[in-house]
């Protein structure tokens, strides 16, 4: 084809002409994508409903009367709704003192665990010393050990030194740190450039000052994550407070399980459900507050 014939064909057909078979193929692919999107959406909605239904059932149970609860008929939402269950859940047991006990233990342990784990993780990542590889191997082995395995030996040890019945075990657990959080800090600190440390040493900083002034501030996302994980672990713990504390100074998780019973000792499930919803509210508030700080720290790190 000559140049003139090519130019004349382009003027006659400025856009490529698609064959009918090509249009049918495009329509078929579009239909397959639409059906795939509908199928994926339906599966996600089903899984979400499956996960959310137990939470909805607890919420519905919290508004039921004892007659509605034990009628033998599955009621999706009780009518009339008994909101006074929440008032009784707050007044039947000393709800606020138990909640303050949980907040105190979770906050103290969370702060201590976050700082001690950061310090040990910095040592593993940036310092040299004999046997560091062996100690790190022991740390990895401890991560794989379930906490329930060490609970009875820990109880026997604390009872021998007179630490049962008070809050000192949570302080000691916080001071020794968490193997998983130490590993998390170690991986983060090991990825930071050496120039930061070398510049600080040239300016006359020691290792502790380098840790507190440089490495700890730039690890704010890890610090927030470590505190949230430690806080939630203590807040939701039932076994350790039940084993180590008395009824007078125990946590809210233990009080919820044993405080809502009738005169014959049978559990009042509507009050347990109402108390459980009230029990979750402080944790949700803390989570949303820390989540905002967590996002801000990531944004500032990206700008820098």
């Amino acid at each position: 084809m000559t140049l003139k014939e090519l130019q004349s064909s382009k003027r006659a057909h400025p856009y490529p002409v698609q064959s009918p078979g090509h249009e049918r193929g495009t329509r078929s692919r579009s239909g397959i994508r639409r059906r795939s999107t509908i199928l994926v959406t339906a599966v996600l909605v089903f899984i979400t409903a499956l996960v959310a239904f137990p939470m909805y059932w607890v919420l519905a149970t919290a508004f039921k009367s004892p007659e509605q609860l034990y009628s033998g008929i599955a009621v999706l939402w009780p009518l009339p709704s008994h909101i006074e269950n929440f008032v009784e859940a707050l007044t039947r047991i000393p709800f606020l003192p138990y909640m303050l006990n949980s907040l105190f233990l979770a906050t103290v342990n969370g702060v201590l665990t976050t700082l001690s784990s950061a310090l040990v993780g910095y040592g593993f990542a940036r310092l040299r010393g004999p046997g560091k590889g062996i100690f790190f191997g022991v740390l990895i082995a401890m991560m794989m050990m379930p906490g329930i395995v060490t609970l009875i030996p820990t109880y026997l040890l604390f009872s021998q030194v007179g630490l049962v019945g008070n809050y000192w075990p949570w302080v000691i657990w916080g001071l020794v740190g968490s193997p998983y959080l130490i590993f998390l800090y170690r991986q983060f600190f090991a990825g930071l450039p050496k120039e930061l440390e070398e510049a600080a040493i040239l300016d006359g900083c020691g290792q502790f000052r380098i840790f507190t002034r440089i490495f700890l501030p730039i690890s704010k996302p890890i610090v927030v994550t470590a505190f949230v994980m430690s806080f939630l672990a203590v807040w939701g713990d039932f076994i350790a407070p039940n084993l180590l504390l008395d009824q007078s100074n125990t946590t809210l998780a233990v009080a919820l399980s044993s405080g809502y019973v009738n005169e014959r000792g049978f559990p009042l499930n509507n009050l347990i459900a109402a108390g459980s919803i009230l029990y979750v509210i402080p944790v949700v508030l803390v989570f949303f507050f820390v989540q905002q700080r967590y996002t801000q720290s990531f944004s500032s790190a990206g700008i820098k």
Side-chain angles (χ1 to χ4, degrees):
M1 182 180 290
T2 62
L3 180 60
K4 289 184 177 178
E5 291 173 346
L6 182 62
Q7 291 175 344
S8 62
S9 66
K10 285 186 176 179
R11 283 196 294 273
H13 304 286
Y15 300 103
V17 178
Q18 297 178 348
S19 64
H22 179 74
E23 292 180 358
R24 283 197 296 273
T26 304
R27 250 186 260 119
S28 174
R29 285 194 293 273
S30 175
I32 292 173
R33 282 198 295 269
R34 194 181 305 116
R35 284 193 292 272
S36 301
T37 303
I38 293 173
L39 180 62
V40 170
T41 304
V43 171
L44 291 177
V45 169
F46 175 75
I47 294 174
T48 303
L50 202 64
V51 173
F53 185 76
M55 292 181 280
Y56 166 77
W57 192 252
V58 172
L59 182 65
T61 303
F63 287 95
K64 292 180 181 177
S65 66
E67 293 76 18
Q68 293 169 332
L69 194 61
Y70 300 110
S71 64
I73 302 173
V75 180
L76 288 180
W77 187 259
L79 291 175
S81 301
H82 296 272
I83 197 170
E84 64 271 13
N85 289 340
F86 290 88
V87 178
E88 189 173 354
L90 286 172
T91 55
R92 194 177 185 91
I93 62 173
F95 193 93
L96 186 58
Y98 286 134
M99 188 178 70
L100 291 178
N101 293 342
S102 295
L103 279 176
F104 176 75
L105 281 184
T107 304
V108 169
N109 184 270
V111 171
L112 292 177
T113 304
T114 301
L115 295 179
S116 60
S117 300
L119 187 60
V120 179
Y122 175 80
F124 274 120
R126 313 302 295 198
L127 302 180
R128 296 179 179 178
K132 191 174 80 170
I134 298 174
F135 285 117
F136 190 68
V138 173
L139 176 74
I140 298 297
M142 291 174 63
M143 287 175 56
M144 302 176 185
M145 184 179 297
I148 193 70
V149 174
T150 60
L151 189 59
I152 298 301
T154 304
Y155 170 77
L156 295 175
L157 179 64
F158 285 150
S159 65
Q160 290 292 326
V161 296
L163 294 181
V164 173
N166 52 54
Y167 296 150
W168 280 108
W170 282 265
V171 176
I172 295 174
W173 284 329
L175 290 176
V176 299
S178 163
Y180 176 76
L181 296 180
I182 291 171
F183 178 77
L184 191 68
Y185 276 114
R186 188 261 180 195
Q187 296 301 106
F188 180 79
F189 288 143
L192 296 178
K194 289 184 178 179
E195 287 76 11
L196 280 174
E197 191 176 349
E198 293 172 352
I201 292 174
L202 289 176
D203 288 341
C205 294
Q207 289 295 337
F208 185 75
R209 198 172 176 188
I210 293 173
F211 166 71
T212 55
R213 298 294 181 86
I214 299 175
F215 280 75
L216 196 58
I218 62 178
S219 64
K220 195 178 293 182
I222 308 297
V223 171
V224 173
T225 303
F227 176 77
V228 170
M229 293 177 66
S230 305
F231 184 91
L232 293 181
V234 175
W235 179 270
D237 189 15
F238 171 79
I239 298 178
N242 200 22
L243 194 64
L244 296 172
L245 295 178
D246 301 327
Q247 188 64 28
S248 59
N249 61 353
T250 190
T251 59
L252 187 57
V254 178
L256 286 178
S257 66
S258 58
Y260 299 124
V261 293
N262 59 15
E263 295 76 12
R264 299 181 180 179
F266 293 106
L268 301 170
N269 291 332
N270 53 347
L271 297 186
I272 293 176
S276 300
I277 293 172
L278 296 172
Y279 171 73
V280 170
I281 289 175
V283 181
V284 173
L285 294 177
V286 170
F287 176 75
F288 278 109
F289 174 74
V290 176
Q291 186 189 36
Q292 184 181 7
R293 296 297 179 89
Y294 183 78
T295 307
Q296 288 175 353
S297 62
F298 264 119
S299 302
S300 61
I303 292 172
K304 291 175 182 176

